[in-house]
Amino acid sequence: MESNKSKILIIGVTGRLGFELAKASLNSFHPTLGLVRDSAFSDPNKSQKLHTLSAAGLTLIKGSLQDEDILLKALKQVDIVICAVSSKQVHEQKILISAIRRAGCIKRFLPSEFGADPDRTQVSDLDHNFYSRKSEIRRIIEAEGIPYTYVCCNFFTSILLPSLVQPGLKAPPRDEVSIFGEGTAKAVFIKENDVAAFAINTADDARTLNKAIYLRPKGNVYSMNELVGIWEGKIGKTLKKTYISEDELLKKIREIPYPENMELVFIYSVFVKGDQTYFSIESSGGLEGTQLYPQITYTTVSEFLDTLL
């Protein structure tokens, strides 16, 4: 193991992204620790993940985001903290931020974002504070003067893409397809393991200090019209298209109770408002991951759709 590599603490290693972050960190020869709740060891799926990571070299620390003393003890062993807890736990990072400030040794904090840029979404009247909670965490980090990197990876390929953005379907359609809005707003889809590879590369990179990193890889940024066209080419068939207007979509969002309507809120945000791609990364002061790390290979949307045939 390379001694000059930063030591990384990952919170949320049993989650889908956290597991990939831990693997990517270990594969990059970072001494890596994982903060794990006691309950994870009695969950068969989580326990298997922990066994895999432990065998690969992960050091496990029992604790939770609610225990500042254990957090402080863990933080004093590392240089970098990456939090990959679920959106429901975003506010629990407040205790972690307090502990990071007290520890005084953390060179970089990557908070639990890993989605659209919460400061640039345009659905605050619909999303039940989903994004404002993340923005609030950003403001606390900045006010405390904690060195950070925000990773804005947009959608994972496991979200919406397996159904070709068709709510209620488990697989892409073969006959009819609904297209939201005009079908021209572009979305970004990236596999979790690829997001993890980019995130781990930012950890020790001086260029990404106190910056937002956006992922818009070539071959992974498409509108609904383009996604449907790619899928039609793969199945050799033209689908019957129904366009759902903005007003129709908003009506559905308001008719369906929260949280069941959140899938439609995300569709509205991305495929109608264009929240993932309406702004220029350069003019926003951010950086684009594939330009920073051209050596990273990633799964394209077309390659992902091939797995659904």
Side-chain angles (χ1 to χ4, degrees):
M1 195 170 277
E2 296 178 30
S3 59
N4 63 336
K5 287 277 189 173
S6 292
K7 296 180 178 69
I8 297 180
L9 172 67
I10 299 173
I11 298 166
V13 293
T14 58
R16 185 177 280 168
L17 177 62
F19 182 63
E20 296 297 340
L21 284 163
K23 287 198 296 183
S25 180
L26 291 165
N27 288 341
S28 295
F29 305 106
H30 288 281
T32 308
L33 290 72
L35 186 75
V36 184
R37 292 171 183 263
D38 261 329
S39 59
F41 294 91
S42 55
D43 179 305
N45 181 42
K46 291 179 179 179
S47 180
Q48 179 57 47
K49 286 183 174 180
L50 293 175
H51 177 76
T52 300
L53 293 174
S54 186
L58 183 75
T59 300
L60 299 177
I61 297 176
K62 289 185 181 181
S64 74
L65 284 175
Q66 284 83 26
D67 192 330
E68 189 166 349
D69 289 336
I70 288 177
L71 285 174
L72 197 57
K73 188 177 177 182
L75 291 169
K76 287 182 175 178
Q77 301 177 55
V78 300
D79 309 298
I80 291 164
V81 182
I82 304 176
C83 192
V85 297
S86 72
S87 57
K88 294 173 185 175
Q89 294 178 273
V90 162
H91 265 170
E92 292 181 24
Q93 294 177 106
K94 290 180 180 179
I95 298 172
L96 174 60
I97 292 167
S98 173
I100 288 172
R101 179 178 52 76
R102 283 176 61 196
C105 60
I106 300 304
K107 297 174 183 174
R108 195 80 60 95
F109 177 39
L110 278 64
S112 189
E113 292 218 353
F114 304 106
D117 184 336
D119 289 343
R120 296 183 180 276
T121 56
Q122 306 168 89
V123 289
S124 60
D125 56 330
L126 299 171
D127 73 349
H128 293 265
N129 299 316
F130 182 89
Y131 289 113
S132 66
R133 287 194 296 266
K134 295 187 176 187
S135 290
E136 183 186 348
I137 293 298
R138 283 187 172 193
R139 303 294 86 84
I140 296 170
I141 291 167
E142 292 156 7
E144 293 286 2
I146 292 168
Y148 65 84
T149 298
Y150 304 139
V151 179
C152 306
C153 60
N154 302 301
F155 279 144
F156 299 131
T157 50
S158 59
I159 297 172
L160 294 176
L161 197 55
S163 69
L164 210 69
V165 199
Q166 304 300 293
L169 294 189
K170 301 291 186 187
R174 296 277 177 160
D175 298 300
E176 301 180 16
V177 64
S178 295
I179 295 176
F180 299 94
E182 296 177 357
T184 54
K186 291 182 186 288
V188 185
F189 293 93
I190 309 176
K191 282 192 76 173
E192 283 93 341
N193 63 309
D194 296 330
V195 172
F198 283 107
I200 294 302
N201 269 270
T202 70
D204 267 332
D205 191 341
R207 297 173 298 175
T208 63
L209 178 63
N210 297 337
K211 293 278 190 180
I213 307 305
Y214 300 90
L215 300 184
R216 292 185 189 171
K218 186 178 179 182
N220 291 54
V221 184
Y222 290 111
S223 68
M224 273 215 72
N225 288 335
E226 290 168 332
L227 287 173
V228 171
I230 293 168
W231 182 244
E232 287 176 330
K234 291 183 184 298
I235 63 173
K237 182 180 180 181
T238 300
L239 301 177
K240 180 186 175 186
K241 300 169 186 68
T242 300
Y243 283 82
I244 311 293
S245 71
E246 179 173 353
D247 287 343
E248 286 178 273
L249 181 54
L250 285 170
K251 185 170 181 287
K252 285 186 179 183
I253 288 169
R254 293 189 174 112
E255 287 173 351
I256 298 171
Y258 171 83
E260 286 77 21
N261 66 352
M262 283 303 291
E263 183 178 46
L264 292 179
V265 172
F266 293 132
I267 288 172
Y268 176 72
S269 167
V270 175
F271 289 102
V272 175
K273 302 298 285 183
D275 280 346
Q276 292 180 350
T277 54
Y278 75 85
F279 58 93
S280 156
I281 292 173
E282 189 176 2
S283 64
S284 76
L287 298 167
E288 202 284 317
T290 58
Q291 293 179 15
L292 289 173
Y293 314 112
Q295 77 279 11
I296 295 179
T297 58
Y298 55 86
T299 299
T300 65
V301 162
S302 179
E303 289 166 344
F304 181 82
L305 291 177
D306 283 339
T307 69
L308 306 178
L309 288 169

